[in-house]
Amino acid sequence: MDLVTMREKLDKKEISAVELTQSYLDKIKEKDKELNSYITVCEDAAIEQAKAAQEMIDSGNAGAFTGLPISVKDNICTNGVKTTCASKMLADFVPIYDATVMEKLNKEKIVMLGKTNMDEFAMGGSSQTSYFGGVKNPYDTSRVTGGSSGGAAASVAAGLCAAALGSDTGGSVRQPASFCGVTGLKPTYGAVSRWGLIAFASSLDQIGVLANSAADTGYMLNGIYGRDFNDATSSAKSKGDYTRLAGTDISKLKIGIPKEFFDGVTDEVKTAVLKAADYYKALGCELVECSLPSLEYAVSAYYLISSAEAASNLSRFDGIKYGYRSGLGEDFNDLIKASRREGFGDEVKRRIMLGNYALCSGYYDAYYKNATRIRTQIRKEYADIFEKCNVILTPTAPTTAYKIGEQEHDPVKMYLADICTVTVNIAGLPAISTTCGYGENGMPIGMSLTGRAFDEQTIIAVCDRFERDFDRKEARI
Amino acid sequence: MRYQPVIGLEIHAELLTDSKVFCTCQNEFGGSENTRVCPRCSGMPGTLPLLNQNAVKLAARAGIATDCTVNKYSAFDRKNYFYPDLPKAYQITQFESPICTNGHITVVGGKDIRINRIHIEEDAGKLVHDDYEGVSLADYNRCGVPLIEIVTEPDFRTIEEVQDFMEQIALRLKYAGVCDARMEQGSLRVDVNISIMPVGSDVFGTRAEIKNLNSVKAIGRAIAYEIERQSEILDNGGTVVQETRRFNDNHGNTKALRSKEEAHDYRYFPEPDIPPVLFTDEELEEIVNSMPEMPQKRFARYTKAYGLPSDDASLIISNKDFSDFYDETVKINPDYKQVSNLMLGELLRNLNDSGAAVTDLKFAPSDLAKLVEMSSGSTVSKNAAKDILKIMFDNGGKPEEIAKENGFIMDNDASGLEAVIDKVIVDNADSVESYKSGNAKVFGFIMGQAMRLAGKGANPKLIKDLLTEKLK
Amino acid sequence: MFNTELTRHLAELSKLEFTDAELDKMTNDMTNIIAVMDKVCGFDTSKKPYALDAVDYKDLRRDEHGESYPTEKILENADIKRGATFVVPKVV
């Protein structure tokens, strides 16, 4: 059921908010043992929220989000509800404030079903590095969901929520959306406040939406975008209303196809995405061959910048103010080391080590600084493309979802698999991923549409048009 | 061997803002532990800094007060290190693009001390050490208190230069409204970098950094001790180690703080949560125009244009409110010397005795101007002026009315005085005799008797003239 | 070139610690990762490093203090506290 229909049913009282919430909670109970998409399910609180929502509906004060049951990624702070970042470090951490996105949605009495599983501290593309166990793909539970918002993607794909909030630093909304056959929107950097999003890489992180359709992601974005006093990097440039997209004429648009993005992907991915391009061509869109020459530097630049920021952002976890505190350690130095050693998983440790390598004396200029030069260059190359195109079409990931255990233990292989998504974060642009086909293994193939900064309307509309004519398969679970 | 010290300073000044630099907690000294703390300044996950406009403005004012260039573009960086008083494990500071650069202050002997830079940063919290249980207790009230760091070039060669610089900078920061400069409370803190080299050499030695200096006097003692200590090392063929040392005010010595396992690598990089700040020309101009006259300019005006002795001028400018009061007064009555005398004498004594501040005064500069006019224009005597000022200080009021009510108005009519003086001459025949036989010293005594008899309103000049005449 | 000594140095900067076996594994991982990262080393240094767009001074936060959080809230997630403070083992 799409969100507009759900809204109508609630408003017309064809269904009560409590019934709706209960139906999702029942489904979570039934299916999530296997999927492990939720870290925390807020059974009682969700019912309470649904009751409050129903009161609001009954009194005629319902807003767009009143009573909609959603899931929230477990790196978004929720006042009084455990927010773990899927880490032992924060396994018992209970925030004392709400993220801005939650504050906005709570005002309209949205229902939070629970907090979704992810890669530890959002560092990963498999959702297998969670301290609470990996997430399984609802299309095939022997396969990964992608990540890091794997729990969010699985919760949407399996129908365990109406929509999900995730976060995207290098593809963490789009790639799991692609692997799990749902739609994932990563808004422009600054479009959505980061206040309350536990930072991984501050200059790249952005809260995004995973949902059943492009229209639903737009519906959700409407409730969370906007300049926020609490986040100095948030912007007032968003134009707003991402819900009136149906029927938008996209036939005059120019769609850029940057050739470098198709080099390292599997044939079936390439074929599926190019077939989508043909679909647009048939609608009247002009396909424009274009180039992002610096793509070859993108993965390295991305990992250096994101890890450097992560090393700094994660330094605050010392076991003293919050988070896991080791019983070992006679002095301050020993205590921090023991707490961090026991509290962080391997991938997080690798990123911290890499980040400090990029920043430390003697290496800073060659690594960190050069990476930021590449960042400037990539932004420029995107600007050049957008001189000639309205949107850019690329694959979301080089492959479909792989088998659990297949490659997530090889960091280099994992990093290189981010090639299709990281440039969008480096350039701060909006992008949306949707299913455009299925692989031989039956798993969804994702394509991404990237837009100009603060022009989410166009990519949502272009994505929505495709989805209307595409026959998406239901997840098997 | 004789050695030449080479000294540079790093000065931290707490800014007089209402709120902290990156959050809205109150910026105030002291208070119960962890009562002025929020998720932001305690470094909770998911929080972001929010730069305080006034902190930027005050840092710019500090730059203008020290003849720095205020840069239109300045940016923030993270300085990464682990210490339990720093909850985020990084300090937000300005590294690559500080707000102010290239200033200077002229010190004793007319020498220019160059200021390399002034940048904005955040203060850390406080740790209380419990030696008995071997733990430290962390209080974050001070976390996020706005600071500027002023970094000088190693241009100092004597203790006097350093002390003069510190006194001047404290005064300028106070004038500019940047910092209350209370060294004893820690709102102004200084680290001294000092090395020595043989006299005549121009190769700097290895420096030590001295911390925990909470008065200008302590700075002098610490430097003197360090010169001695380092000289002794070099004289004995040793080498000075680069280290941080702590000054102990009770013992008058410095002790090395235990050196860290490895050299610091702060891994500075641009703060991704704070966009760089841009001033327009108009905004900078507005800040420049809002600056008060700086103390060194006032000093020059007082001594050169007003002809005040430099000690008096120094004393007046040492308190901005006092100096402002002086300026307001002489604007109305440009009797520079008399206003200065009355303020530095009677007014300052009353202020010191009562502990009151200039801003608490119950009378206005115009009242003081009037009082000086009355006293120099023979409306009241100099002594009466002091009495009147005391009454104004205690109760307020207009000097004319006080003089009238208390009979301080001088009687400038000589006719009544003659009888008084005749009576004094008769009553003090012995003294009069003594005076006439050449003992000039008794004149004062006879004069005093005459003043007493003549009463409060008497004009001393008239009495003196008349008395001199009669005693001839 | 990456070696165990550099791994140790980075571990110290990162406030992490490893057993000998972990250290070897980390050194190996880092060697492979840095080989990918080396791609950036030869990049054109005449290009400008990226920086956030500047904001104008007039748009910065006004200096007005607000309420702080209750002390017990601030301490709520701390494992060990005493009175109104966080307890830290002695800093050596």
Side-chain angles (χ1 to χ4, degrees):
Chain A
M1 199 189 323
D2 65 61
L3 296 178
V4 172
T5 310
M6 198 175 280
R7 173 83 271 131
E8 278 172 13
K9 283 186 188 288
L10 283 167
D11 287 345
K12 288 185 186 153
K13 303 189 186 168
E14 289 169 23
I15 184 169
S16 82
V18 177
E19 282 164 14
L20 183 65
T21 297
Q22 192 59 57
S23 74
Y24 278 104
L25 290 171
D26 291 346
K27 215 165 169 192
I28 291 170
K29 215 169 234 168
E30 179 199 331
K31 292 186 173 175
D32 206 46
K33 268 210 176 69
E34 182 163 16
L35 293 178
N36 200 24
S37 66
Y38 282 88
I39 289 173
T40 304
V41 179
C42 305
E43 265 195 87
D44 297 344
I47 292 296
E48 284 311 307
Q49 285 165 355
K51 282 180 187 163
Q54 191 58 49
E55 271 176 34
M56 215 166 158
I57 294 166
D58 291 345
S59 63
N61 295 320
F65 299 96
T66 311
L68 298 186
I70 63 158
S71 72
V72 177
K73 191 176 178 181
D74 214 16
N75 59 351
I76 295 173
C77 285
T78 42
N79 194 357
V81 178
K82 245 181 358 182
T83 300
T84 70
C85 282
S87 179
K88 182 179 178 186
M89 184 56 89
L90 290 180
D92 298 312
F93 176 66
V94 180
I96 61 168
Y97 72 99
D98 265 327
T100 296
V101 290
M102 295 314 296
E103 216 174 274
K104 285 183 176 229
L105 297 173
N106 284 339
K107 248 183 217 146
E108 293 202 359
K109 303 265 180 261
I110 203 161
V111 174
M112 184 175 80
L113 296 166
K115 305 294 295 282
T116 54
N117 207 348
M118 54 189 275
D119 280 301
E120 187 183 1
F121 281 101
M123 296 171 184
S126 69
S127 297
Q128 299 303 306
T129 66
S130 168
Y131 173 65
F132 302 94
V135 191
K136 288 174 181 160
N137 194 311
Y139 278 83
D140 175 350
T141 53
S142 71
R143 293 177 184 272
V144 300
T145 52
S148 65
S149 309
S155 71
V156 173
L160 308 187
C161 62
L165 292 184
S167 72
D168 190 318
T169 305
S172 280
V173 160
R174 292 159 286 155
Q175 186 255 22
S178 162
F179 279 15
C180 293
V182 300
T183 306
L185 172 68
K186 180 252 165 215
T188 311
Y189 186 79
V192 179
S193 170
R194 291 185 294 119
W195 174 256
L197 171 65
I198 297 182
F200 156 17
S202 315
S203 76
L204 301 159
D205 293 342
Q206 187 63 187
I207 289 176
V209 181
L210 297 99
N212 288 309
S213 66
D216 280 1
T217 64
Y219 191 100
M220 290 302 296
L221 179 60
N222 239 20
I224 58 174
Y225 82 91
R227 165 92 175 112
D228 176 22
F229 169 81
N230 282 316
D231 175 2
T233 64
S234 69
S235 169
K237 285 183 195 152
S238 292
K239 292 182 276 289
D241 208 341
Y242 303 96
T243 59
R244 292 167 212 276
L245 303 159
T248 309
D249 178 21
I250 67 161
S251 65
K252 303 282 182 299
L253 295 182
K254 292 177 179 171
I255 298 179
I257 316 279
K259 54 182 190 290
E260 294 87 355
F261 282 81
F262 293 82
D263 288 347
V265 306
T266 59
D267 286 344
E268 60 180 15
V269 169
K270 186 174 175 177
T271 308
V273 177
L274 291 177
K275 204 174 146 202
D278 288 340
Y279 165 82
Y280 287 118
K281 195 176 175 187
L283 285 180
C285 297
E286 186 187 335
L287 301 184
V288 180
E289 192 177 305
C290 58
S291 172
L292 196 83
S294 294
L295 183 67
E296 56 173 329
Y297 297 105
V299 166
S300 309
Y302 167 77
Y303 272 90
L304 289 164
I305 293 166
S306 64
S307 302
E309 291 179 12
S312 175
N313 283 331
L314 268 63
S315 290
R316 70 187 66 201
F317 300 107
D318 56 10
I320 289 163
K321 305 154 298 236
Y322 38 74
Y324 177 77
R325 180 171 181 142
S326 169
L328 301 171
E330 294 286 302
D331 65 45
F332 172 66
N333 207 35
D334 291 348
L335 172 75
I336 321 184
K337 283 186 187 169
S339 300
R340 291 165 68 81
R341 175 204 165 84
E342 296 164 34
F344 289 141
D346 288 346
E347 182 56 25
V348 171
K349 287 177 187 169
R350 272 194 290 270
R351 304 281 183 112
I352 293 173
M353 295 282 283
L354 173 60
N356 280 323
Y357 177 81
L359 291 177
C360 80
S361 152
Y363 297 90
Y364 179 87
D365 285 330
Y367 291 93
Y368 179 80
K369 206 161 193 178
N370 267 356
T372 67
R373 291 190 170 103
I374 291 164
R375 186 169 195 174
T376 306
Q377 178 61 21
I378 287 174
R379 291 170 72 89
K380 188 189 169 297
E381 289 174 12
Y382 265 115
D384 290 347
I385 295 176
F386 281 121
E387 293 275 303
K388 298 175 290 188
C389 308
N390 304 93
V391 295
I392 296 170
L393 176 66
T394 65
T396 305
T399 66
T400 57
Y402 46 86
K403 293 268 187 190
I404 291 170
E406 200 176 301
Q407 73 174 53
E408 63 269 24
H409 302 296
D410 179 348
V412 168
K413 213 167 181 183
M414 289 298 293
Y415 296 179
L416 293 174
D418 291 340
I419 182 83
C420 299
T421 46
V422 293
T423 51
V424 160
N425 301 78
I426 289 174
L429 300 172
I432 192 166
S433 173
T434 191
T435 309
C436 64
Y438 294 89
E440 264 184 7
N441 53 18
M443 299 305 288
I445 293 170
M447 68 170 188
S448 279
L449 293 153
T450 303
R452 293 174 178 153
F454 300 104
D455 185 14
E456 280 81 358
Q457 275 91 350
T458 302
I459 54 169
I460 294 171
V462 172
C463 187
D464 173 69
R465 189 70 189 77
F466 180 85
E467 286 177 353
R468 279 163 198 274
D469 288 328
F470 181 77
D471 189 17
R472 199 183 269 185
K473 293 182 192 163
E474 291 277 316
R476 284 180 201 133
I477 193 158
Chain B
M1 204 189 291
R2 285 183 54 236
Y3 296 102
Q4 170 69 65
V6 174
I7 303 162
L9 304 179
E10 288 166 20
I11 300 159
H12 285 94
E14 286 181 353
L15 302 178
L16 288 169
T17 57
D18 178 29
S19 60
K20 291 183 178 183
V21 59
F22 298 124
C23 68
T24 57
C25 287
Q26 192 170 10
N27 171 24
E28 202 183 33
F29 179 76
S32 305
E33 293 148 334
N34 291 311
T35 50
R36 282 195 304 279
V37 181
C38 70
R40 252 183 253 266
C41 59
S42 62
M44 295 224 176
T47 59
L48 300 164
L50 258 188
L51 180 59
N52 180 340
Q53 185 184 54
N54 195 24
V56 175
K57 183 200 207 157
L58 293 181
R61 288 173 75 88
I64 299 164
T66 52
D67 286 325
C68 286
T69 304
V70 181
N71 299 309
K72 283 211 262 183
Y73 177 95
S74 74
F76 291 82
D77 299 276
R78 288 187 186 178
K79 177 180 181 178
N80 294 285
Y81 66 95
F82 290 87
Y83 205 74
D85 63 4
L86 188 69
K88 300 189 303 303
Y90 57 82
Q91 181 193 35
I92 302 176
T93 180
Q94 298 187 302
F95 185 61
E96 289 265 356
S97 306
I99 183 159
C100 307
T101 42
N102 293 326
H104 66 92
I105 286 183
T106 311
V107 293
V108 279
K111 179 174 170 182
D112 259 358
I113 302 295
R114 292 168 298 160
I115 293 168
N116 174 291
R117 55 149 62 205
I118 298 177
H119 62 253
I120 303 166
E121 58 187 33
E122 57 181 331
D123 210 343
K126 274 187 172 156
L127 296 177
V128 175
H129 302 288
D130 180 337
D131 288 327
Y132 184 70
E133 295 201 26
V135 294
S136 300
L137 305 172
D139 168 17
Y140 296 151
N141 280 345
R142 207 179 59 185
C143 284
V145 164
L147 294 178
I148 48 170
E149 182 174 350
I150 304 167
V151 183
T152 78
E153 299 292 349
D155 287 347
F156 301 94
R157 294 294 177 272
T158 68
I159 291 172
E160 291 68 36
E161 289 170 2
V162 174
Q163 290 179 323
D164 184 35
F165 183 93
M166 282 311 296
E167 272 162 9
Q168 284 202 53
I169 204 139
L171 199 54
R172 289 188 192 195
L173 294 179
K174 282 196 247 180
Y175 266 62
V178 169
C179 172
D180 62 15
R182 293 191 183 143
M183 287 193 79
E184 71 293 345
Q185 270 192 6
S187 69
L188 188 71
R189 312 195 278 267
V190 59
D191 298 337
V192 173
N193 288 304
I194 169 168
S195 64
I196 58 170
M197 61 187 180
V199 171
S201 164
D202 55 4
V203 182
F204 291 179
T206 308
R207 60 167 207 238
E209 183 183 358
I210 314 168
K211 287 188 181 290
N212 196 41
L213 300 163
N214 53 20
S215 68
V216 171
K217 207 174 137 207
I219 294 170
R221 292 171 69 209
I223 295 174
Y225 177 85
E226 251 328 275
I227 295 172
E228 189 85 359
R229 184 186 72 86
Q230 294 185 15
S231 302
E232 213 171 286
I233 293 173
L234 295 189
D235 283 343
N236 293 328
T239 47
V240 176
V241 186
Q242 183 166 346
E243 62 189 355
T244 303
R245 301 179 69 83
R246 188 187 157 83
F247 180 65
N248 184 320
D249 216 353
N250 294 326
H251 300 119
N253 64 7
T254 68
K255 279 238 161 63
L257 291 169
R258 210 172 135 161
S259 61
K260 300 270 155 60
E261 290 155 43
E262 42 190 298
H264 281 299
D265 181 349
Y266 291 122
R267 292 154 288 147
Y268 288 98
F269 74 100
E271 165 57 88
D273 291 327
I274 304 177
V277 179
L278 214 50
F279 278 119
T280 61
D281 288 325
E282 294 73 38
E283 284 163 348
L284 271 184
E285 207 177 294
E286 204 182 307
I287 297 175
V288 169
N289 291 339
S290 71
M291 292 290 289
E293 184 185 29
M294 283 289 110
Q296 71 278 11
K297 291 232 172 78
R298 273 194 189 176
F299 180 83
R301 178 157 59 86
Y302 291 175
T303 51
K304 291 191 182 117
Y306 295 0
L308 299 186
S310 49
D311 283 355
D312 290 0
S314 295
L315 200 53
I316 295 174
I317 63 161
S318 70
N319 179 321
K320 178 167 181 291
D321 292 333
F322 193 80
S323 176
D324 286 347
F325 202 93
Y326 175 80
D327 279 348
E328 289 301 311
T329 308
V330 297
K331 232 184 248 169
I332 301 163
N333 181 1
D335 191 345
Y336 308 121
K337 185 67 194 160
Q338 291 308 321
V339 173
S340 160
N341 285 349
L342 201 55
M343 282 186 70
L344 289 177
E346 201 58 20
L347 179 56
L348 198 55
R349 178 162 54 250
N350 277 301
L351 283 169
N352 290 342
D353 288 352
S354 65
V358 177
T359 45
D360 300 334
L361 286 177
K362 293 176 179 135
F363 57 92
S366 57
D367 300 324
L368 187 66
K370 182 72 193 166
L371 180 60
V372 171
E373 184 199 310
M374 287 162 65
S375 129
S376 51
S378 298
T379 309
V380 297
S381 69
K382 295 258 171 331
N383 278 331
K386 289 181 190 170
D387 292 338
I388 294 167
L389 184 58
K390 171 75 177 143
I391 294 168
M392 285 161 67
F393 186 87
D394 290 338
N395 309 315
K398 299 286 165 199
E400 308 95 302
E401 284 160 25
I402 296 169
K404 264 183 212 148
E405 279 165 24
N406 294 278
F408 285 132
I409 303 289
M410 279 201 294
D411 183 359
N412 291 328
D413 178 4
S415 62
L417 286 176
E418 214 166 313
V420 170
I421 287 169
D422 288 344
K423 184 171 178 350
V424 168
I425 291 174
V426 173
D427 288 354
N428 298 283
D430 288 354
S431 305
V432 170
E433 204 49 45
S434 168
Y435 176 77
K436 283 185 172 165
S437 60
N439 184 3
K441 280 190 215 155
V442 272
F443 185 83
F445 171 75
I446 303 167
M447 175 78 194
Q449 295 298 311
M451 287 292 294
R452 209 165 52 118
L453 206 61
K456 277 191 264 187
N459 182 334
K461 182 153 187 313
L462 281 180
I463 291 176
K464 192 182 168 202
D465 291 351
L466 219 53
L467 193 61
T468 315
E469 185 62 34
K470 295 241 173 195
L471 290 177
K472 255 185 192 160
Chain C
M1 190 49 219
F2 223 88
N3 55 30
T4 331
E5 198 187 324
L6 186 51
T7 309
R8 269 206 195 91
H9 173 68
L10 293 177
E12 183 58 41
L13 286 178
S14 307
K15 293 285 176 232
L16 291 170
E17 54 189 0
F18 300 105
T19 63
D20 286 349
E22 286 167 346
L23 199 72
D24 288 343
K25 163 113 178 34
M26 184 56 82
T27 305
N28 184 51
D29 285 349
M30 290 304 286
T31 305
N32 296 332
I33 292 167
I34 300 300
V36 177
M37 301 304 138
D38 279 341
K39 178 84 188 163
V40 308
C41 293
F43 196 77
D44 179 2
T45 52
S46 68
K47 300 268 188 229
K48 235 178 107 184
Y50 167 77
L52 277 170
D53 288 341
V55 295
D56 197 284
Y57 164 78
K58 71 175 188 309
D59 295 327
L60 297 177
R61 170 173 69 84
R62 299 279 171 280
D63 181 24
E64 280 159 25
H65 80 265
E67 291 283 303
S68 291
Y69 268 55
T71 306
E72 60 274 16
K73 275 294 195 193
I74 293 296
L75 292 164
E76 201 173 83
N77 277 287
D79 234 21
I80 307 181
K81 50 210 156 201
R82 192 200 292 170
T85 60
F86 299 91
V87 177
V88 184
K90 230 180 159 53
V91 186
V92 181

